Every structure is written in structure tokens, then in C-alpha cells.
Amino acid sequence: MNWGLGRSHTVRLWQLFRRILAPVANYKPPAPPANRSHPDISPCQDIDQKQVLLRLGRAAELCHVKQLSPEQLALGGGHATVHWRRSTRARRVSLRIDPSRGLVVVTLPMRAARAAGVALLNDNAAWVTDRLAALPLATKLADGAVIMLDGLPCTIRHAPNAVGGAFLADGFLHVTGDPTFLARRVTDFLRAEARRRLALQALAHAHAAGVTPKRVTVKDTRTRWGSCSPDGVLMFSWRLIMAPLFVQDYVVAHEVAHLKHLNHGRAFWALTDSLSPHREAASTWLHTDGARLLRVS
């Protein structure tokens, strides 16, 4: 192809291209600095493969679910908010009630048609509408709102001229500063209380059971009050701090027992009951009143 260039111009262009491309063609990634561990792996002599697999599993879990936009659907003579999810792990269409958001969650396999989810909703319209109607009223974290702390009512009182963030005094939860940040300050206070007190309960039960948790964390989970990972990490919902003390005691004992028995066999239940005598009462309370904790926001 003739671009109207002489031989000398062509040679110069070719030399210029070689100068530009040579660094790319000869590039070699730099060797990792000596004595520096992987940023996601604790420094040790041997890499813990179990920890690596657990982290990879948690990361892969995010790839298995695709969240779709919620929508309002006519259902049982009324309307319901439906949140659609597609999951590569789902083998059938399923639905559940999300008490924290007051809506229905429908999970579809990747190849299932949306019509299959609508059909399941229509077939269970009465159950869905009854469950949604039975949800407790939502509690917004605002001045004058009443929340529970250890199962007892506690009123939020905004104190704009005080200092200290959020603190308990005279039977009230006082919250300082700009009212715009009141809800966040209350949540931060409850999270911190849950982290501190549930960790102390877990350590006490672990000592009695002869086990040691690797770590105790709190999160805002929607489907479980607590969990125990295979590597010994205990996790609890921070909302448990609003439940009665006997409920907290049972949930913590339940998860601590999993440090020794990662199942629900006879030995597990025997250990759980030896750590906490509140299994029946706490289970009943969570079944009847647990949704109230999820409706606080």
C-alpha cells in the first residue's frame, strides 16, 4: 500500500514504532518484594489453605446471585413489593418474607422465566398477604422513638447541646449532635454494645465448654441470629442486643457449642443445654417477637 511516503520516511516510521513497542514486548512484571506477605493472608511459615478456600468461597458467593429491581405487584386483592433474585445455585423457584424490609423475596434459577415466580406468588397469595400483614410496625430511629434494649423499652431522646455521641442515662438513650445523624449514632451505639457484651458472653460460654473462638464479630444479618464458621469465627446479629437477656444467652451458647460440634446432633444439643437453660423459651421468643428486631431502622 502506497501512502505517499518515501523510503526514508518509511524507515523512520518503522524505527519509531519499534521504539514504542519494544518496552511493551520486553516487559516483565516486577518480582514481589522480599519479606512481604500476601495482603489477604496472615504472615506465617505455611499458608493456611483452609483460610484461602474460605475467602475464595465468600468471594464466589457474590457471583452466584444477581439482584434485580423490586417492583409492586397486585396480589390477593392488594399490592406487595417483590424483590427478584436470580441464583446459579437455585434449583427451583422459591419465595420468602423479608421482615426487615417488609417485602417478598422471590429467587429464580438462572434459566427460569419470571412467569414461574409470578405463578408461585399467585398460588401462595393468601400466605404471603397474611405474613406481610402480621409484620410488626416499622420503628424509625428518631427523637422520641421507643426501642428495646435487653428486652426492655428505651426511649430515644435527642440532646443537641450535649456531647458524647450516644449514651444511656436516666432510662433514656441520649443522642447528641445534628439530628441528621441521629439514626446512625443510635445504630453505632447498639452495634458497639452488641460487640462488647456478646463477645463477653461468648468468651464465658467458651471457657465453660473448653473451647476458644478465633474471633467474635457482629453484623446486620437478615436470615440468622448467629453463626459459627468452620475456622471458629462466631458471628452475631447486632440486633440481639435489643432482645431479652435470656435470648442473648441462648443464641450465644448455641453458636459456642458449634465450636465443638459443627452439627445439630445429640452431643451438640446436650452441650448447648448445659451452657444455657433457655432453649425453649428463647426459641419461642425469637419465633413470635424476633421480627420486631428486624423492623428497627
Side-chain angles (χ1 to χ4, degrees), residues 4-23:
L5 298 175
R7 178 178 176 80
S8 61
H9 289 86
T10 303
V11 172
R12 289 176 184 175
L13 283 174
W14 174 243
Q15 291 174 343
L16 178 61
F17 286 148
R18 290 185 64 180
R19 288 182 184 178
I20 295 173
L21 297 175

Side-chain angles (χ1 to χ4, degrees), residues 139-147 154-157:
T139 299
K140 295 297 181 182
L141 297 175
D143 184 30
V146 178
I147 61 173
C154 180
T155 302
I156 298 173
R157 174 176 288 178

Side-chain angles (χ1 to χ4, degrees), residues 40 50 57 70 83 118 123 127 145 166 189 192 209 247 249 252 257 265 273 289:
D40 292 328
K50 185 177 181 181
H83 184 81
V118 174
D123 290 342
W127 179 84
F189 171 83
V247 175
D249 182 73
V252 173
D273 291 339
D289 296 293

Side-chain angles (χ1 to χ4, degrees), residues 48-59:
D48 189 343
Q49 295 184 356
K50 185 177 181 181
Q51 287 295 316
V52 175
L53 291 174
L54 284 170
R55 288 188 175 95
L56 289 175
R58 283 192 285 267

Side-chain angles (χ1 to χ4, degrees), residues 47 80 110 115 162 207 224 230 236 262 290 292:
I47 293 176
M110 297 304 291
H207 178 75
R224 60 180 66 184
F236 299 102
L262 206 57
R292 293 169 60 191

